[in-house]
Amino acid sequence: MTQFPVEDCELVVGGLHLSRLAARVGQTPFYAYDRGLLSARIAELRAALPEAIQLHYAIKANPMPALVGHMAKLVDGLDVASAGELRVALDAGCPPGEISFAGPGKRDEELVQAVAAGVLLNVESANELRRLAEISARLGWPARVALRVNPDFELKSSGMKMGGGPKPFGIDAEAVPNLLAEVGRLGLAFEGFHLFAGSQNLRAEAIVEAQRKSFELALRLADAAPVPVRVLNLGGGFGIPYFPGETHLDLAPIGANLAEIAQAAAGRLPGAALVIELGRYLVGEAGIYVCRVIDRKVSRGQVFLVCDGGLHHHLSASGNFGQVLRKNYPVMIGNRADAPADTVTTVVGPLCTPLDLMAERMPLPEAQPGDLVVIFQSGAYGASASPQAFLGHPAAVEVLV
Ligand SMILES: *Cc1c(COP(=O)(O)O)cnc(C)c1O
């Protein structure tokens, strides 16, 4: 499962043996993100997708400033979901024209900041549209607007569904035509549509179907738009494999489908930029989480490694970030990389809760206190998606290597 090399029994991360990297970082636990792997993933994606498709990074997946700075140079834009993320994106040097801001519940202060910055606002409701118009008129600066549409279909087999049916995200597709008439009357600068149907999908056919339906829906809605559509964001949802039996997403059919869409768009929506926005897929596999074994104990025949990190730094790996069934992320003893995995081991963190579980009954090499436990597939929804204050342990450090 891992893309990281092994040398002298040790995982190698950013050119350093893991124990050396741990010494360089100065503490465990830490997250390490590999620049080379981030760049390689984007190059691979660019090669598989038609040139006409713009690639955005949704920084919610990993908002570490240095990482966002690295990504900003490689993608065509950044998507933010709060004013805090907007600040990170602007600090990273991303031009405001290439930033879009989606998210239900944008506060007035956030709308002011976005209008002042000149970024594209993906509007999520009729009320938000009216508040935005009022703010834009009061400030005297034009607001750039796209409507986020809650589609009338779902992204099938998604880890998390975010469109179709009743949803807090976006404007129901059937309500969009009336609202488009209002956009013109309110004096807002309309630019296009944003559709985002779901997350963590490993089935190319499901993504292809959602992208095709999104495009068709956008074509119907474009007829009611006050001005020609300039931006059509078709969402993302590309997943990565976490668990045994899961395999990498097949990009070929997605690329072929997007090429067809791009060709149709050139005729039907001339001048419109086609965007996809990805978080997890771009960064998830480039990151690891590393913690150190504090204690090894055997309880009624079961081996436990008790570590200095766990759920409070890495909620997703503990299975408590929206997962229905808990499954083990890929785990390795990073300083015993070549040793046979002959000991059934349960890896836990230091918290006083049975939820603080990082690997349950997994075959691993025989490990000892001081060893380094590595959790792969940790570059997305890790540090920033975890309750780091829970129980008052030190926060994890994050490094880009
Ligand atoms: C969360 C989110 C993303 C990123 O989703 P991934 O599954 O990480 O690719 C993209 N766009 C929007 C609107 C989101 O809410």
Side-chain angles (χ1 to χ4, degrees):
M1 179 89 80
T2 167
Q3 318 176 72
F4 295 86
V6 166
E7 231 177 68
D8 310 326
C9 290
E10 284 211 45
L11 197 69
V12 177
V13 182
L16 289 179
H17 287 172
L18 186 66
S19 53
R20 176 112 182 221
L21 176 64
R24 199 203 88 178
V25 172
Q27 74 159 67
T28 52
F30 64 91
Y31 281 91
Y33 315 118
D34 186 307
R35 284 185 173 85
L37 292 178
L38 293 167
S39 301
R41 173 49 60 96
I42 291 172
E44 180 195 356
L45 200 54
R46 296 265 195 209
L49 302 183
E51 223 169 282
I53 300 294
Q54 296 191 5
L55 189 58
H56 280 204
Y57 172 49
I59 79 174
K60 174 182 82 186
N62 189 331
M64 184 215 190
L67 178 142
V68 174
H70 180 78
M71 299 297 282
K73 294 200 269 316
L74 301 172
V75 296
D76 304 305
L78 299 177
D79 293 320
V80 303
S82 69
E85 288 190 357
L86 173 59
R87 203 176 306 122
V88 172
L90 291 167
D91 284 349
C94 189
E98 296 172 9
I99 298 175
S100 58
F101 181 1
K106 299 183 195 77
R107 289 171 285 113
D108 282 357
E109 309 85 87
E110 293 182 291
L111 294 175
V112 169
Q113 290 170 64
V115 170
V119 303
L120 180 65
L121 278 140
N122 292 327
V123 171
E124 308 255 354
S125 77
N127 283 333
E128 187 176 279
L129 188 76
R130 290 167 199 145
R131 280 197 293 131
L132 180 60
E134 195 273 320
I135 285 168
S136 164
R138 174 160 51 80
L139 295 172
W141 300 317
R144 301 174 47 218
V145 168
L147 296 188
R148 177 169 181 183
V149 181
N150 175 22
D152 41 15
F153 57 85
E154 287 188 341
L155 174 55
K156 289 178 192 146
S157 0
S158 249
M160 265 186 212
K161 292 197 165 83
M162 291 176 68
K167 287 284 183 293
F169 312 108
I171 299 154
D172 292 345
E174 54 278 19
V176 167
N178 279 340
L179 208 57
L180 281 169
E182 199 172 328
V183 173
R185 285 201 301 277
L186 288 170
L188 295 163
F190 175 77
E191 298 198 5
F193 299 109
H194 173 222
L195 290 107
F196 183 79
S199 185
Q200 179 50 21
N201 202 308
L202 288 170
R203 281 188 49 218
E205 329 80 87
I207 291 172
V208 162
E209 183 188 308
Q211 287 178 337
R212 188 165 293 167
K213 286 182 172 171
S214 296
F215 180 61
E216 284 160 10
L217 176 58
L219 287 180
R220 290 198 298 279
L221 298 176
D223 290 338
V227 292
V229 169
R230 292 176 49 194
V231 184
L232 174 55
N233 184 331
L234 292 166
F238 296 20
I240 61 171
Y242 287 98
F243 309 120
E246 290 185 342
T247 51
H248 280 98
L249 184 63
D250 183 5
L251 290 176
I254 297 173
N257 182 57
L258 286 173
E260 281 174 29
I261 289 177
Q263 199 178 5
R268 307 277 307 272
L269 299 173
L274 293 177
V275 178
I276 60 168
E277 55 177 10
L278 304 175
R280 184 193 315 266
Y281 189 80
L282 298 183
V283 296
E285 297 189 74
I288 57 171
Y289 173 69
V290 183
C291 56
R292 200 178 286 278
V293 178
I294 293 176
D295 197 5
R296 176 184 188 278
K297 61 198 278 189
V298 181
S299 167
R300 310 221 156 99
Q302 195 174 328
V303 174
F304 287 89
L305 299 179
V306 185
C307 301
D308 61 1
L311 167 157
H312 52 310
H313 299 146
H314 202 335
L315 191 65
S316 328
S318 77
N320 293 295
F321 191 64
Q323 296 96 332
V324 181
L325 283 179
R326 192 198 171 281
K327 292 186 207 156
N328 291 331
Y329 270 45
V331 169
M332 176 191 251
I333 307 297
N335 55 311
R336 297 182 191 271
D338 290 334
D342 55 7
T343 307
V344 174
T345 307
T346 294
V347 183
V348 301
L351 307 189
C352 284
T353 160
L355 298 177
D356 193 5
L357 184 59
M358 290 179 288
E360 190 172 21
R361 295 169 185 271
M362 195 184 221
L364 290 174
E366 175 81 40
Q368 296 302 330
D371 283 350
L372 295 167
V373 170
V374 176
I375 304 181
F376 294 103
Q377 311 299 77
S378 296
Y381 304 108
S384 72
S386 300
Q388 299 227 29
F390 189 36
L391 267 89
H393 290 285
V397 167
E398 295 177 87
V399 293
L400 182 67
V401 296

